[in-house]
Amino acid sequence: MKIKILKPVTAIAIAMLFTACNNVPAAVVTDTVPEIQNTTTSAPAEITTVGETTVDEAMFEGKEYRLPATYETLPNLKDVFADDFYLGTAINTFQLEEGTDTYNLALKHFNIFTTENEMKPVYVNPSEGVFDFAAPDKFIAFGDANPDAILRGHTLVWHSQAPEWWFKGSGEGGRATSDELMARMTEYINTTVGRYKGKIKYWDVVNEAFSDSTGQLRQLHEQSYWAPIIGDLDGDGDEYDFIEQAFYLAREADPDAKLIINDYNLEQDPRKLNGFYDAVKSMLEQGVPIDGVGIQAHIQLEWPSIINFKMAIEKLATLKEINPDLIIQVTELDVSMYAWSDQSLTVDMNAENETKLAVRYADLFDMFREEAAKGNLETVVMWGFYDGMSWLNDYPIPGRTNHPLLFDRDLIAKPAFWGVVDRTKIDAAVEEE
Ligand code: XIL
């Protein structure tokens, strides 16, 4: 198949059009696939619905920050944890324009970067035969220009933000057959991982494959076509085959990249953790090249407990009995100020709440340090660094303003920043606000 690289402008227009139309999970195809049922998932289960990106690019045009006043004197977060773990952030390429405040701030504090949206298949492979690498290439150029910056690729196989055409084909009800979907996955992984061979150090090869309600593989009623279509290829009685194939293909396309299986709620839902754990264990025992597990960690101010999170890390670390080099990463950390389905649209960030958030971050990072010292945690990536860029401003409750990150909307370090760096400075930081 001939691969056509789109010109950036066309590509952006297509991506925007798709985003604008795309208020349902990307993998829900059309009415021609009758098996799909509408389900109501219980909180805090579903966090995968795709909406418009919450980043408001226009917000930064011509805006002057107070950045220079405070910025130079702040400790660099990545240096604070240099002996513990890599510290990273999700990012979009428009935030990486050289010389901008966001570029400077990101490079000052973080040493590992994940593309928030731009390397998702719905943007990279929007239609058959069309690959658009404009944004991913920019991300790679950023890595080339900053050799100390480690790049994570996010993500290859996911039920959400995957192009609809992948799941359509000559099968029953207009659905793709197992062979068709495997061919698309193979082409995608070969093309994308192959293109960035040696450049992307970690790939989130499979994302969110497990069900919240059962811990088993996600099925049609949870918007995933992967297991239902691909099925049990090797006849061993399980349907992990799409995951296994994705890892084998990624390994072949870039033998040096570290391959991660990533999911959410692992830190707070034992059912999900156990299902995920059993599946990874079984695949590792069969020699599937899984190098690491990713705990997304989209958590809340008061949920889960630090001890729960710690126990989840320690449980996953027992998989090192099978793969002694297994990597554990926190891949998408943010701390919502709201309970999952809280319908309020604002929260007063008064001294009490700023302090609570800062203490929450302090407790979390203390625990991360302890786990890193035991060899159980290699990387912590935050899902953004300033509140204005967080997806949680619109999700899961549209229009709900959130404050989940370490820098505020003006890029000023919040008391939470000091919670991460030095908890004895929280009170002074709150007073200064
Ligand atoms: C989110 C992005 O942050 C949003 O901008 C986008 O609209 C939807 O996806 N789990 C993941 C991430 O693995 O890819 C999601 O990112 C957040 C949940």
Side-chain angles (χ1 to χ4, degrees), residues 300-340:
Q300 298 160 20
L301 190 60
E302 307 201 352
W303 188 259
S305 68
I306 300 290
I307 190 76
N308 259 42
F309 198 150
K310 184 183 173 72
M311 283 166 60
I313 294 178
E314 297 201 346
K315 175 163 177 136
L316 291 169
T318 64
L319 292 169
K320 285 192 282 188
E321 286 164 19
I322 312 167
N323 174 1
D325 299 323
L326 190 87
I327 293 162
I328 301 179
Q329 302 189 322
V330 167
T331 50
E332 305 185 12
L333 176 67
D334 47 25
V335 181
S336 173
M337 290 302 297
Y338 302 86
W340 183 252

Side-chain angles (χ1 to χ4, degrees), residues 214-292:
T214 64
Q216 304 302 303
L217 282 176
R218 195 182 273 267
Q219 299 295 331
L220 283 178
H221 67 281
E222 288 169 304
Q223 288 94 34
S224 182
Y225 286 93
W226 287 104
I229 291 182
I230 291 191
D232 181 7
L233 295 176
D234 57 14
D236 67 355
D238 67 50
E239 292 190 340
Y240 300 144
D241 304 58
F242 75 96
I243 302 178
E244 296 168 1
Q245 290 307 312
F247 276 90
Y248 284 120
L249 287 163
R251 173 65 92 234
E252 209 180 309
D254 185 352
D256 295 328
K258 299 289 179 205
L259 308 180
I260 308 291
I261 182 161
N262 196 43
D263 218 315
Y264 65 91
N265 279 5
L266 300 174
E267 69 290 340
Q268 51 185 309
D269 181 347
R271 207 170 25 188
K272 180 99 180 239
L273 176 65
N274 291 339
F276 178 87
Y277 177 91
D278 292 345
V280 176
K281 181 164 184 279
S282 142
M283 288 186 277
L284 284 173
E285 281 166 350
Q286 288 173 47
V288 178
I290 298 175
D291 296 312

Side-chain angles (χ1 to χ4, degrees), residues 28 36 73 91 167 216 246 267 269 348 365 382:
V28 175
I36 291 288
T73 56
I91 197 101
F167 304 101
Q216 304 302 303
E267 69 290 340
D269 181 347
D348 184 4
F365 275 78
M382 305 211 45

Side-chain angles (χ1 to χ4, degrees), residues 334-385:
D334 47 25
V335 181
S336 173
M337 290 302 297
Y338 302 86
W340 183 252
S341 49
D342 184 344
Q343 299 295 312
S344 21
L345 297 182
T346 54
V347 55
D348 184 4
M349 288 310 283
N350 53 25
E352 190 189 341
N353 278 332
E354 289 287 7
T355 306
K356 275 191 190 167
L357 183 67
V359 171
R360 176 75 161 152
Y361 267 112
D363 293 345
L364 266 176
F365 275 78
D366 281 351
M367 184 270 283
F368 290 161
R369 251 202 181 116
E370 277 172 33
E371 291 306 316
K374 292 182 194 168
N376 290 346
L377 188 61
E378 186 244 23
T379 290
V380 176
V381 178
M382 305 211 45
W383 210 239
F385 53 103

Side-chain angles (χ1 to χ4, degrees), residues 377-396:
L377 188 61
E378 186 244 23
T379 290
V380 176
V381 178
M382 305 211 45
W383 210 239
F385 53 103
Y386 54 97
D387 291 337
M389 78 176 281
S390 173
W391 73 307
L392 293 174
N393 288 308
D394 252 325
Y395 192 80

